[in-house]
């Protein structure tokens, strides 16, 4: 399948300890959409890589788990990353939060080549998929804001998010808002979605979208 996205790599990180849970279902849907669009997409579970939190690096080393492998070999080379997390107490899961916290050891000088790490952390496309028991739309806003600010800090593009509701494993498929379809569409369009985040000095056209071509008239000699 020829696709302009074949050279792009999408990493999907699931922050739930349940590998058959609703967050995993969102991630799998996004992976299906991305692969159907010709994008190389891999799905990983943070629980397989992260076994400890960020310590005081002046007192003791980082946990001896697989985080370095996850961050250096999967996250940094990716062109886009989709974070999938359940909502726990109106925030992201501990595994997901630890992913961001543990990166400090690599760009703050404790790891090798911190400047190279910082450079490769920037300029990505980022997305979010969240699952909660509540349908209350505000339940996800704290997580959305956190990823939005991370995106701005790293000069990345936050291209979209999906919020689905379900409690039992797989129940998110019954959400009438169709979050699995939305996640699949997000995966398919991850690298082509229009992204704009204007400042007062940003040059911009009058139209957000390219105007459609005018319809042709079927009457000879009459302009459309």
């Amino acid at each position: 399948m020829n696709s302009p996205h074949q050279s792009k790599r999408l990493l999907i990180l699931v922050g739930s300890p349940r590998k058959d849970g609703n967050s995993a279902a969102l991630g799998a849907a996004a992976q299906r959409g991305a692969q159907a669009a010709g994008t190389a997409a891999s799905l990983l579970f943070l629980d397989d890589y992260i076994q400890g939190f960020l310590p005081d690096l002046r007192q003791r080393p980082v946990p001896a788990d697989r985080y370095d492998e996850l961050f250096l070999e999967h996250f940094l080379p990716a062109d886009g990353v989709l974070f999938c997390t359940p909502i726990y107490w109106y925030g992201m899961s501990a595994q997901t939060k630890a992913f961001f916290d543990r990166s400090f050891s690599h760009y703050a000088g404790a790891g090798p080549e911190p400047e190279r790490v910082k450079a490769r952390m920037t300029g990505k496309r980022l997305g979010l998929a969240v699952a909660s028991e509540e349908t209350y739309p505000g339940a996800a806003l704290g997580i959305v804001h956190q990823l939005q600010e991370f995106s701005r800090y790293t000069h990345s593009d936050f291209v979209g998010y999906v919020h689905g509701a379900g409690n039992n494993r797989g129940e998110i498929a019954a959400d009438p808002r169709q979050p699995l379809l939305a996640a699949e569409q997000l995966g398919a369009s991850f690298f082509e979605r229009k992204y704009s985040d204007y400042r007062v000095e940003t040059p911009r056209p009058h139209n957000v979208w390219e105007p459609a071509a005018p319809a042709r008239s079927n009457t000879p000699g009459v302009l459309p």
Side-chain angles (χ1 to χ4, degrees):
M1 178 179 180
N2 294 323
S3 167
H5 308 305
Q6 284 181 328
S7 61
K8 299 290 186 181
R9 289 168 291 184
L10 175 62
L11 175 64
I12 301 168
L13 296 177
V14 179
S16 171
R18 292 179 173 180
K19 294 191 176 180
D20 58 350
N22 293 308
S23 298
L26 288 169
Q31 185 180 35
R32 287 194 302 272
Q35 291 175 339
T39 300
S42 57
L43 186 152
L44 302 176
F45 288 86
L46 295 177
D47 215 41
D48 291 336
Y49 293 85
I50 301 174
Q51 301 300 318
F53 300 123
L54 178 71
D56 182 350
L57 298 175
R58 296 166 296 184
Q59 304 295 328
R60 55 193 176 95
V62 296
D65 54 17
R66 299 174 63 196
Y67 180 80
D68 287 0
E69 174 191 345
L70 174 67
F71 185 74
L72 298 174
E73 298 179 21
H74 295 284
F75 177 75
L76 290 185
D79 301 291
V81 183
L82 175 66
F83 295 91
C84 304
T85 179
I87 299 178
Y88 292 157
W89 289 105
Y90 307 100
M92 61 180 60
S93 69
Q95 290 90 336
T96 310
K97 182 61 165 63
F99 173 83
F100 293 101
D101 293 346
R102 288 280 299 274
S103 67
F104 178 79
S105 64
H106 287 285
Y107 63 76
E113 302 184 84
E115 293 305 317
R116 178 172 172 269
V117 167
K118 282 191 285 187
R120 297 188 73 190
M121 285 177 66
T122 65
K124 297 184 184 298
R125 290 206 137 206
L126 303 176
L128 176 67
V130 294
S132 67
E133 183 179 359
E134 295 172 296
T135 60
Y136 167 52
L141 294 184
I143 306 174
V144 172
H145 180 70
Q146 186 169 358
L147 190 58
Q148 178 184 5
E149 293 307 307
F150 176 82
S151 300
R152 285 195 168 195
Y153 186 80
T154 58
H155 299 286
S156 298
D157 296 345
F158 181 34
V159 297
Y161 76 98
V162 175
H163 179 194
N167 189 20
N168 295 325
R169 289 172 170 86
E171 189 183 11
I172 200 168
D175 187 333
R177 297 172 297 179
Q178 297 185 291
L180 295 181
L181 176 60
E184 188 171 337
Q185 292 171 341
L186 177 59
S189 62
F190 207 86
F191 293 106
E192 64 182 17
R193 286 197 173 197
K194 181 180 179 66
Y195 176 80
S196 55
D197 185 7
Y198 295 144
R199 308 295 193 274
V200 68
E201 73 279 5
T202 305
R204 55 187 187 269
H206 293 294
N207 298 325
V208 174
W209 309 106
E210 290 293 330
R216 297 191 174 211
S217 171
N218 292 326
T219 305
V222 178
L223 293 176

